[in-house]
Amino acid sequence: MPDIKVTPLGAGQDVGRSCILVSIGGKNIMLDCGMHMGYNDDRRFPDFSYVTQNSRLTEFLDCVIISHFHLDHCGALPYMSEMVGYDGPIYMTHPTKAICPILLEDFRKITVDKKGETNFFTSQMIKDCMKKVVPLNLHQTVQVDEELEIKAYYAGHVLGAAMFQIKVGSESVVYTGDYNMTPDRHLGAAWIDKCRPDLLISESTYATTIRDSKRCRERDFLKKVHETVERGGKVLIPVFALGRAQELCILLETFWERMNLKAPIYFSTGLTEKANHYYKLFITWTNQKIRKTFVQRNMFEFKHIKAFDRSYADNPGPMVVFATPGMLHAGQSLQIFKKWAGNEKNMLIMPGYCVQGTVGHKILNGQKKLEMEGRATVIIELCSLYSPLAHADAKGIMQLIRMAEPRNMLLVHGEAKKMEFLKDKIEQEFSISCYMPANGETTTIVTNPSVPVDISLNLLKREMALGGPLPDAKRPRTMHGTLIMKDNSLRLVSPEQALKELGLSEHQLRFTCRVQLHDPHSDTDTLGRIYTHLKSVLKSYSIQHVPDGTVIVESIVIKVTSSAEEPNLKVILLSWSYQDEELGSFLSTLLKNGLPS
Amino acid sequence: MAAHLKKRVYEEFSKVSQQVTLEEVPAKKLRLTKPSKSAALHIDLCKATSPTDALQYLLHFARKPVEAESVEGVVRILLEHYYKVFWVNCVWKLDFSKNFACVLESHQVLAQLLDTLLIIGTQLPDKIAVIQRLIDVACKHLSSTYFRVRNKCLQLLGCLGTVDKPLSKETDAGAGAQTSPVRDVQSVISDYFQDQDPRVRTAAIKAMLQLHERGMKIQQTIYNQACKLLSDDYEQVRSAAVQMVWVLSQLYPESIVPIPSSNEEIRLVDDSFGKICHMVSDGSWVVRVQAAKLLGSMYQVSPHFLEQTLDKKLMSDLRRKRTAHERAKELYASGEFSSGRRWADDAPKEKVDTSGVNLIDSGACGAFVHGLEDEMYEVRIAAVEALCSLAQSSPSFAEKCLDFLVDMFNDEIEEVRLQSIHVLRQISTHITLREDQLDTVLAVLEDSSRDIREALHELLCYTNVSTKECIQLALVELLKNLTKYPTDRNSVWKCLKFLGARHPTLVLPIVPELLSTHPYFDTPEPDMDDPFNYLPYLLWCSSQLPGRKQTASSGLEASGVGSGSLESAQNFLQDSLIRVSALQNLETPGAQDLLEFTIRDLQRLGELQTELAGSADFCATYLHCQLLLTKALQEKIWTMAVPLCLKQNAKVSTAARQILDETYKLEFLYSGLETQQIATIHNVRLQAKALQLILTARSKRGVDCVLGVCEKFLQDVESFQRLFMTELPHFQDSFVEKLLELMPRLTACKPLDLVKILQTTLRQSRFIHLKLPEQIHRASATIIEPTGESDNPLKFTSGLVVALDIDATLEHVQDPQTTVKVQVLYPDGQSHIIHPKPGDFRTPGPGRVRLITQVYLSHSAWTEACQIEVRLLLAYSSSSSKPSASKPAWNESMDGLPTSESCIEGTIHLSKPVKVFIMPKPAHR
């Protein structure tokens, strides 16, 4: 039986280090090549030696697909392609290809330059790696080789995030990467057509969460910012450079526009600036509103938001500043925070999650006073906008399953306990089997691929004519024909044509069968009685009584002879061709039961 | 080539269908159309008087070679002709399958043929036998392998088939048509719900819907089939299926259907509601919009299911979480509203039982929650609208959906925001806003969009609030609004007025705070132009007003006038009309005085009773026309010799002119008129025209000029007959009736004779009494901006343009987008007419339209500032009064072509002029 094998090297019952191997129809594909942010040793990269077994990766893999630019999905890419060695194609969407190297470079700088690690990939390696990337567009079908094709769907997680359909013959797998089923201020919702894949590999980060509407939270956020600005206070919003920053920028920008506000908004330069540039370019990947208003104005050409300069922090009057990093542990955001924290007019807004040990974490836990550089600083106003990142919640995952209608499900990128819950639900609601392999564990899914066969038009038309006038598109029907397997192609033709093509003469195969019957009448009378009996039983068949002492039902010939010794014992001779086997055996059993008196 | 062919087909198609509808048009007009083979054939066929003649033409035609590209057109003509043949004979003798064996080989042609048959069928709704034949033809071709043929067949069945009667074979006994199994149309169509082609499936559902639209009763049995189609792969099928399910839910709301996989049973409307709710999270947004829209009209659904649509159970790591709405409510209840200092109040609470969580929304669960958060704003708008109509019918649901609607005030698309404000206003009778909700609502007052702000003011006019703090909050926010956007003055005033009037008891306790303790009032002379002073005062005043009104009206009631005043006014109106109608001859001495008094009375009545203003004005104007006419006819000129009466001539001709103008006003300025009134008005207009004609004939020498006018007049009479055929019985002894009697003579006689006849008829004819319809509204307009008070001229460089903002309210104007124009009149007599964009018209309420637009002014340099006049005009064309249903389609097809000469274009003044001071300065070089 053909099957699909899935082995997670990372992200199996785990978040981070997404890397999944899929074997489908003899092709091996690597889905994502991420790194784990939690480790600083070898564990941060997937264990590629599992694949290589001392040979080169290129020989084993047909292609690598990267779903989006987050480091836990693409962080190990230069390591794999340059240090382990892979020369095959790497597929990603255009925005991912644009933004991915910036993030990799940034990450490399922090690891190598700041932490002083060695044995890490270099800038050149990132560049070389990017040369192997083949970019693709949404809904564009790319033929990797003659059999393997991939197609990208919108995923809505971050700019350029995509879900991929991988297809070999009639077998297919859909890998979602990270996706979001609810639109936000700058991205749309994930969408897929009813492609009915054999296997859907879905993330399950928020498998046990059902989220609330974002509107209330947005409203609170805007209201607080508005109030602070009105009373002349300053607002600090520490953000991560990509994703959330742009969402909030759009939110504030439109609000400023709507409410006709004049206070300046700044974002810190550097990475955010670069990222904004890409958001401006890839406008087609954003949501409906931005795409529609693009004709008048590109929403990312901010009117009210300007680049920040260090000296602006001391300016009087209200302002809003987006600053990196998001956890308030170092850099610009911390500097500004120190400056502003004493004034009770000012406000700090924490839009994201903070790791333990950072200033942000302390504040999020409700600490009102902080010791910094020997001084006690009081934080006056605080507002949290912490909400799940752009991942699908449990309902969203179910919705995607409903959209795609897969035959099997496989959960990755989530905690085992949460997956368990979702797995039960999926099996219960859709009655499809659901898998959740751990890292290194191989799941085998047996598929039942349909084999396409060319059918001759004449044969098809003949069969059509036999059917009734009413449409019965989805009902299976049996038909007679000859299957010719020749030169790697399958054809279904009528038997006559097959004989002609193959130069064979037709052989008739007939079965004959004698049935003994006790019947006191004469031969002809018996035959007559058989005729009437059959006539009453087989109403829809053509039954003929031929004068030369035979009854013919379709192609079946029935003759009656009486044995010489016993005139009452009649021997009925039945003869049928192979094509009418079914009818023939039915008749023989019927006649064995005797005639009705 | 294919494209060309197609174009050709359409060309032929439109031509032919027009010809069918205008059968009485003489053949010579047809020559005007581009001669083509098919057209020529058509002309021939038109000439044929009997079927045998036609056959001769046909045979002749058959011998001629036909170029390939016109074959389809020819076939069409032929078919049209067949239709005419049995129009005459009522016998269908021709068998399509035989006569067109050659063309039927092409599926395309067959599909077109069926299309034609469909038109033929719809033209002949009462010919049962023919329709039966057509249905048989359709049934026969249903098994075609080409989807368009099947589509057309289904469409034909949908448009013509009947459900009550099974498809029988009685009628085709002689025709030798295909024998089809005896089944009714519905089951035949429903068989194609499972066709292999999605387009055919869609067509099948549409045909079924068509059956329903024609009033056929659809059986409940197809409900299950329709439900299955909801999960079809193709969006157009799903979209149609949603509609089908909805139709069935409206037809059989109370029947009981079983729930699969359980023994329970529920009402069909609830079941279908659940299914349509499910479609709100469909993959295709077209279907989502469709589903959301339909949800809004399912009023019979049980409250339990309805409330589920707003249900959402939140969960975080398998722990139950409260929604933001619930938290806001709790906060408000605990008195700690909007402090913003609570921390981590959204921490998950109790653990959720895993088996109890339903991730796939069963039935209606959370449908609107999904719809309101949809990616496409079209879906969101549809969901908001649906919420509105459901909430209007269920107060408890209105209360529940309030939070969600308030949330929508923050949508990213302005249209959605605006719509949700409108919706909240519509359901405001059912709800009372909590303080925290009001706070959110009021935050929108700072929106930079004028539409949004004004919609919100409108909303505040109708809102109930719960506490006196709310009133204060609203007042403060409105003040803020006014300082930020001074142009909102009118709107804010109105808003406060209503707010005060609505909550007199809530305003009362805060009066001291509002008025006396206000620091400004301690100063000797408070500046009443400062909004901070007069707005609270306004609020207070308006809160006192309704009370006073009540006492006043109760006093009146005691004296027996009171609320009955409207009734008595109506009686008065009727009485005066009856009095006037008692006058048989207006030339009797006292009659004219009576008319004059009645007109005066009616005008006064209109001023007093605003409800009856429209009717009273209408009657008064009509009677005025009659009076003018009578006076004109009594002038001495009729007895004098022609050369002597030039002066009188002028008087009469102005009267005629005036009557004409008044009739146009009568016809186009008032809404709510019925055909009878319009016909009456036309009668008066014809009289005025006749008067003009007579005057022209008398004053001008030579027959030539009179000839043209006469012809035009006769055309007018003819068109009157065509338009108001059904109304003629009401016109006994009238001018028109007499004219129509004399019509054969009129057309034959010479112009001068015609004039003579007209003169006598005019004098003999009785005047027609007006029967008032239920409600008449007079269209009116007021220009709010510019006010005309400004002394500062608008300066601009001559030759360049300056934009003038115009803000006006229109009332009871029908179709303002096309009819209302802005006229700008310069001191030198130049006048410009400007068409505002359709987007400049907004509808804040029923019958009211707001026009906010900009007009561009320009002129050459003036030496000093001067005033220009700006006013609104109502444009009309007499062709638009034709009561024909096919008008829009006709308009479309005739777009760009000159309209027929019978139509008269003109304008009526709709508003008082407003003067604007402008000053074009010479350009500096």
Side-chain angles (χ1 to χ4, degrees), chain B residues 214-375:
Chain B
R214 288 172 48 230
M216 310 282 160
K217 186 109 175 142
I218 293 178
Q219 244 93 103
Q220 199 198 324
T221 42
I222 63 162
Y223 179 68
N224 281 333
Q225 285 174 293
C227 286
K228 259 183 221 143
L229 287 177
L230 286 178
S231 54
D232 198 276
D233 282 11
Y234 290 83
E235 69 174 27
Q236 70 266 45
V237 183
R238 290 200 299 270
S239 172
V242 169
Q243 247 175 316
M244 190 75 241
V245 169
W246 177 79
V247 163
L248 285 166
S249 80
Q250 300 300 304
L251 283 177
Y252 305 95
E254 296 302 328
S255 42
I256 301 293
V257 289
I259 304 176
S261 77
S262 81
N263 297 329
E264 284 172 69
E265 291 181 326
I266 50 170
R267 290 158 74 218
L268 190 139
V269 64
D270 290 340
D271 188 51
S272 55
F273 187 77
K275 291 202 159 89
I276 296 177
C277 279
H278 203 61
M279 300 310 282
V280 174
S281 48
D282 189 86
S284 146
W285 69 271
V286 182
V287 181
R288 294 203 295 269
V289 171
Q290 176 85 272
K293 270 191 190 146
L294 292 177
L295 280 183
S297 47
M298 298 180 81
Y299 303 113
Q300 297 108 318
V301 72
S302 339
H304 165 64
F305 278 89
L306 192 56
E307 274 156 29
Q308 271 190 1
T309 55
L310 294 176
D311 187 53
K312 49 175 181 180
K313 291 202 172 52
L314 303 189
M315 190 173 73
S316 171
D317 288 348
L318 289 177
R319 279 163 203 278
R320 167 103 175 79
K321 224 173 124 176
R322 285 165 315 145
T323 64
H325 292 154
E326 287 166 339
R327 271 183 278 130
K329 209 167 175 175
E330 272 168 42
L331 264 182
Y332 176 68
S334 67
E336 228 185 311
F337 145 68
S338 80
S339 69
R341 284 167 203 245
R342 304 254 313 198
W343 193 242
D345 58 348
D346 58 343
K349 295 278 148 60
E350 70 272 28
K351 226 169 155 87
V352 177
D353 176 20
T354 47
S355 60
V357 182
N358 209 354
L359 285 182
I360 282 283
D361 301 330
S362 57
C365 252
F368 279 121
V369 178
H370 275 287
L372 293 176
E373 282 180 29
D374 198 276
E375 183 185 359

Side-chain angles (χ1 to χ4, degrees), chain A residues 6-16 18-21 31-32 73 174-179 200-207 397 409-416 419 422 434-439 443:
Chain A
V6 181
T7 315
L9 295 182
Q13 300 182 6
D14 185 20
V15 182
S18 278
C19 186
I20 300 149
L21 287 177
L31 301 170
D32 278 342
H73 290 260
V174 169
Y175 173 60
T176 64
D178 289 354
Y179 64 100
L200 177 70
I201 305 175
S202 168
E203 63 132 333
S204 53
T205 323
Y206 288 105
I397 297 172
M409 263 308 281
L410 192 142
L411 298 177
V412 293
H413 202 277
E415 291 162 33
M419 281 185 181
L422 192 65
C434 181
Y435 308 89
M436 37 175 284
N439 284 339
T443 305

Side-chain angles (χ1 to χ4, degrees), chain A residues 10 30 36 68 150 186 197 248 282 302 317 352 359 404 453 473 493 501 594:
Chain A
M30 181 184 281
H36 205 296
H68 63 280
I150 57 175
H186 70 306
L248 292 180
F282 295 108
F302 299 122
V359 177
V453 172
V493 294
E501 264 181 48

Side-chain angles (χ1 to χ4, degrees), chain A residues 93-376:
Chain A
T93 61
H94 284 279
T96 310
K97 191 192 171 188
I99 299 173
C100 183
I102 308 175
L103 287 182
L104 285 172
E105 181 59 34
D106 192 59
F107 175 62
R108 193 198 62 80
K109 257 189 222 157
I110 291 170
T111 334
V112 179
D113 299 353
K114 292 221 170 123
K115 291 183 188 159
E117 274 187 53
T118 50
N119 192 22
F120 205 74
F121 51 79
T122 60
S123 294
Q124 190 54 45
M125 281 180 181
I126 298 175
K127 280 178 195 152
D128 290 339
C129 167
M130 282 301 144
K131 282 178 191 152
K132 296 173 186 168
V133 170
V134 182
L136 77 172
N137 275 317
L138 277 186
H139 301 177
Q140 174 193 4
T141 307
V142 172
Q143 212 73 35
V144 177
D145 56 32
E146 265 152 37
E147 286 150 15
L148 176 64
E149 61 179 45
I150 57 175
K151 182 177 175 186
Y153 291 95
Y154 193 74
H157 173 62
V158 286
L159 191 76
M163 310 194 274
F164 283 89
Q165 186 193 31
I166 300 131
K167 206 168 164 190
V168 178
S170 65
E171 292 171 286
S172 64
V173 172
V174 169
Y175 173 60
T176 64
D178 289 354
Y179 64 100
N180 186 11
M181 292 302 283
T182 44
D184 65 21
R185 287 283 169 163
H186 70 306
L187 296 174
W191 182 86
I192 195 164
D193 55 16
K194 214 173 259 191
C195 54
R196 300 198 175 86
D198 290 304
L199 178 66
L200 177 70
I201 305 175
S202 168
E203 63 132 333
S204 53
T205 323
Y206 288 105
T208 55
T209 300
I210 301 171
R211 43 153 218 107
D212 193 2
S213 155
K214 271 188 177 164
R215 291 180 193 279
C216 294
R217 229 173 253 285
E218 280 176 2
R219 204 180 55 215
D220 281 353
F221 167 74
L222 292 173
K223 203 174 137 192
K224 293 228 165 85
V225 173
H226 190 184
E227 277 170 5
T228 314
V229 168
E230 269 203 340
R231 67 168 182 246
K234 298 177 169 64
V235 183
L236 172 66
I237 309 173
V239 283
F240 180 66
L242 278 164
R244 179 53 58 86
Q246 278 72 26
E247 191 189 340
L248 292 180
C249 277
I250 286 281
L251 190 62
L252 278 189
E253 168 84 8
T254 42
F255 187 74
W256 250 238
E257 189 92 19
R258 251 181 74 193
M259 296 303 187
N260 220 345
L261 297 179
K262 296 282 178 282
I265 307 174
Y266 299 109
F267 64 87
S268 59
T269 44
L271 205 51
T272 325
E273 208 172 9
K274 257 189 210 161
N276 279 348
H277 178 66
Y278 286 114
Y279 274 82
K280 236 182 270 177
L281 283 179
F282 295 108
I283 211 81
T284 46
W285 289 78
T286 53
N287 71 6
Q288 186 196 20
K289 152 103 180 174
I290 299 176
R291 271 183 286 138
K292 288 224 159 144
T293 50
F294 167 64
V295 186
Q296 285 105 40
R297 183 167 81 94
N298 190 332
M299 287 276 276
F300 288 100
E301 305 259 5
F302 299 122
K303 245 190 212 166
H304 303 272
I305 305 179
K306 299 166 200 94
F308 185 71
D309 186 277
R310 194 161 299 193
S311 61
Y312 293 169
D314 295 321
N315 283 1
M319 67 172 84
V320 180
V321 174
F322 290 96
T324 48
M327 297 185 198
L328 214 58
H329 56 273
Q332 207 165 36
S333 61
L334 189 65
Q335 276 172 11
I336 300 172
F337 174 70
K338 278 178 194 161
K339 244 181 210 151
W340 290 358
N343 192 339
E344 61 180 51
K345 275 206 274 181
N346 298 344
M347 187 168 65
L348 170 74
I349 292 177
M350 299 294 296
Y353 172 75
C354 290
V355 174
Q356 205 152 18
T358 58
V359 177
H361 185 79
K362 281 183 204 156
I363 297 170
L364 275 179
N365 279 350
Q367 210 166 320
K368 289 278 174 188
K369 282 185 181 179
L370 285 178
E371 287 271 338
M372 269 187 299
E373 293 159 4
R375 280 188 299 132

Side-chain angles (χ1 to χ4, degrees), chain B residues 131 216-217 323 568 581 707 801 881 889 909:
Chain B
I131 286 179
M216 310 282 160
K217 186 109 175 142
T323 64
S568 66
S581 68
L707 195 67
V801 288
S881 66
H909 291 179

